[in-house]
Amino acid sequence: MGSDFYQQSILPFAGIIIKICRAYTHSQEDFEDYYQEVCLQIWRSRDNFNAESKWSTWIYKVALNVCLTHLKQRKKGEQQFVSDALPDEVHDDAKAFGSDELNLLYNAIKHLSEIDRAVILLYLEEKSYAEIGEIIGANTNSIGVRITRIKERLNKFIQAQE
Amino acid sequence: MSKSIEAMWKQGFVSEGELSAPKVNDLYNRKSQNIVDKLQNMFAVNIKAIVIGALVMLVVMSLIGAPWLGLYICVLLAPLVLIARKELTKSHNLSKGQSSLEYLESFDTWLKNSMDTYSKYYRFFYPLFYIGMVTQGLASNAGGKVMALLLKHYPTEYVLLEIPGYVWAVITVLFLLVVRYSEALYRLDLDIIYGRQFKKLEELITDMRALKAQ
């Protein structure tokens, strides 16, 4: 990957990738692998980007697809490059960033299903329902209800932890 | 709970500087090592499977009254095991002190050379295996009965070793086909077992070359 491409087209959006990858990984090693894989996929699929949506939306899509694909592969036992830690066992040794509250929230998010994780991450990133629908390929009408349900689950989890 | 999840999220990322991106440099190193490890493991398992298969064949053939054929197959497979072990050792001896791309390329070169070596072996293996099976078939009681039946229903004056000439003709044509397509058979066999991994290896090398060219 050209360093120019990385510097100009990925690095300014690194926060998006980091936030998503953190929600789908349970160790620092996995996190770094997923991050790098997302970057590579963005570079590989850069020609498929059409300017109809924002570049940041494209990055969300690629990041989520990479994370979901690798989780699926791992579940099938075809995992290629990350360690053998089970995805659904939350034992987060990823380098913590942000406040304790944020880490608590991440921990709660990791207990959600893969798709619910994507939905809530996009919601927290203040994406519109239409954009969330576009990114995850779901019906916009169902997003609101889904978010309410997810938030209830998160709140319950967080309350139980406090 | 004092804060909403929205507030927890927003305030948690107030300091964006904490979101430091990992370096993008090590993924291909791990990927290349993993695919090489996987193929080497598959080759090692394959060697064990051949040894076990040969022994099972010996036992089974002995039980069905064809111990010589079992032994013959074992003898035929013995060089394969030796070749495979030698080839696998070569792959382990490839220098790892190279860049990922160079390492993968040298592994790929080893793989192609190795496949050529196996091809040479299989050019003999398949025809000899075929001869062994046919000989056993014809020499067995069942084979003898079939030949007698054929001669009764389709008599011919061309008979050699109590086998009608047309059977010899079929056996010969099949033998020539096996000789002609033994390498293709080997490649097909290879493709079924390792095709997916070989494709991944190729894709990885192509990807890495493209990355390097950027």
Side-chain angles (χ1 to χ4, degrees):
Chain A
M1 184 185 328
S3 63
D4 282 354
F5 180 80
Y6 181 71
Q7 294 287 339
Q8 289 164 18
S9 304
I10 296 184
L11 207 52
F13 304 94
I16 296 172
I17 307 171
I18 292 170
K19 286 171 184 173
I20 292 176
C21 292
R22 175 130 193 249
Y24 287 94
T25 55
H26 305 296
S27 71
Q28 185 65 21
E29 191 191 10
D30 283 2
F31 166 73
E32 288 179 10
D33 279 338
Y34 276 61
Y35 176 86
Q36 295 185 78
E37 184 67 16
V38 170
C39 293
L40 285 166
Q41 285 298 338
I42 292 168
W43 173 75
R44 276 190 201 131
S45 57
R46 63 196 183 283
D47 293 338
N48 298 333
F49 171 68
N50 56 27
E52 283 171 18
S53 58
K54 289 186 222 160
W55 177 246
S56 61
T57 305
W58 174 256
I59 288 187
Y60 274 111
K61 268 188 197 173
V62 175
L64 284 170
N65 285 337
V66 168
C67 290
L68 293 173
T69 302
H70 282 298
L71 280 183
K72 244 183 234 164
Q73 282 179 344
R74 181 185 268 199
K75 277 184 176 166
K76 279 185 198 164
E78 291 177 4
Q79 223 280 332
Q80 290 297 303
F81 67 93
V82 291
S83 70
D84 293 331
L86 292 169
D88 291 333
E89 287 176 8
V90 179
H91 41 86
D92 194 350
D93 60 340
K95 194 161 68 184
F97 51 77
S99 62
D100 290 344
E101 279 178 336
L102 181 64
N103 289 319
L104 180 63
L105 178 56
Y106 256 119
N107 203 18
I109 289 172
K110 285 177 188 177
H111 283 81
L112 298 171
S113 72
E114 288 147 20
I115 295 297
D116 282 351
R117 268 184 251 183
V119 172
I120 199 67
L121 284 172
L122 295 169
Y123 165 77
L124 290 169
E125 286 290 293
E126 298 180 337
K127 295 285 163 197
S128 67
Y129 288 1
E131 219 171 341
I132 295 174
E134 187 202 329
I135 292 170
I136 66 164
N139 184 345
T140 307
N141 300 332
S142 64
I143 302 282
V145 182
R146 195 160 187 166
I147 288 172
T148 310
R149 230 178 36 229
I150 297 169
K151 280 171 70 178
E152 278 170 15
R153 288 185 60 196
L154 288 177
N155 283 328
K156 259 187 209 165
F157 183 89
I158 291 167
Q159 276 169 355
Q161 296 292 305
E162 281 178 338
Chain B
M1 188 174 62
S2 55
K3 282 182 187 168
S4 66
I5 60 167
E6 290 88 344
M8 286 167 81
W9 184 260
K10 207 174 263 181
Q11 288 168 18
F13 289 112
V14 165
S15 174
E16 280 287 323
E18 289 179 51
L19 289 171
S20 58
K23 285 179 189 168
V24 182
N25 58 6
D26 201 35
L27 177 66
Y28 274 118
N29 290 338
R30 289 189 211 182
K31 272 192 161 185
S32 51
Q33 191 53 54
N34 280 342
I35 195 158
V36 168
D37 283 350
K38 188 159 190 179
L39 278 168
Q40 284 173 332
N41 284 341
M42 286 174 84
F43 295 146
V45 168
N46 197 29
I47 294 173
K48 282 180 194 156
I50 293 168
V51 172
I52 293 168
L55 293 173
V56 168
M57 200 67 120
L58 179 62
V59 173
V60 171
M61 289 295 172
S62 300
L63 288 175
I64 63 168
W68 292 111
L69 180 62
L71 202 61
Y72 177 75
I73 292 170
C74 280
V75 170
L76 276 184
L77 287 172
L80 178 62
V81 174
L82 294 176
I83 293 170
R85 286 183 66 174
K86 198 175 156 195
E87 288 298 319
L88 191 58
T89 308
K90 276 190 206 166
S91 86
H92 284 296
N93 290 340
L94 289 173
S95 168
K96 292 182 176 68
Q98 322 171 61
S99 73
S100 295
L101 177 58
E102 285 164 348
Y103 178 57
L104 274 192
E105 283 174 336
S106 60
F107 183 79
D108 190 51
T109 306
W110 163 81
L111 193 60
K112 289 191 170 100
N113 290 336
S114 188
M115 279 155 67
D116 286 342
T117 307
Y118 284 116
S119 291
K120 283 175 196 153
Y121 165 80
Y122 278 104
R123 258 180 243 155
F124 295 97
F125 174 81
Y126 283 121
L128 288 173
F129 182 74
Y130 171 78
I131 289 172
M133 297 297 277
V134 169
T135 307
Q136 177 63 44
L138 293 175
S140 66
N141 287 337
K145 282 177 192 167
V146 171
M147 291 307 125
L149 213 60
L150 279 173
L151 278 171
K152 187 179 166 191
H153 290 286
Y154 306 101
T156 173
E157 53 188 279
Y158 301 104
V159 178
L160 182 65
L161 301 172
E162 295 175 23
I163 297 162
Y166 49 80
V167 172
W168 280 118
V170 171
I171 288 171
T172 308
V173 169
L174 287 177
F175 176 74
L176 292 174
L177 283 174
V178 172
V179 170
R180 171 72 182 78
Y181 293 107
S182 58
E183 195 170 332
L185 271 175
Y186 161 65
R187 300 276 171 184
L188 180 71
D189 188 27
L190 203 64
D191 198 45
I192 291 168
I193 303 173
Y194 301 110
R196 211 162 142 238
Q197 295 305 321
F198 288 169
K199 203 174 161 211
K200 274 185 187 171
L201 179 68
E202 254 175 50
E203 282 172 0
L204 197 55
I205 291 175
T206 309
D207 241 13
M208 289 171 79
R209 280 181 183 150
L211 275 173
K212 199 182 170 188
Q214 278 285 307

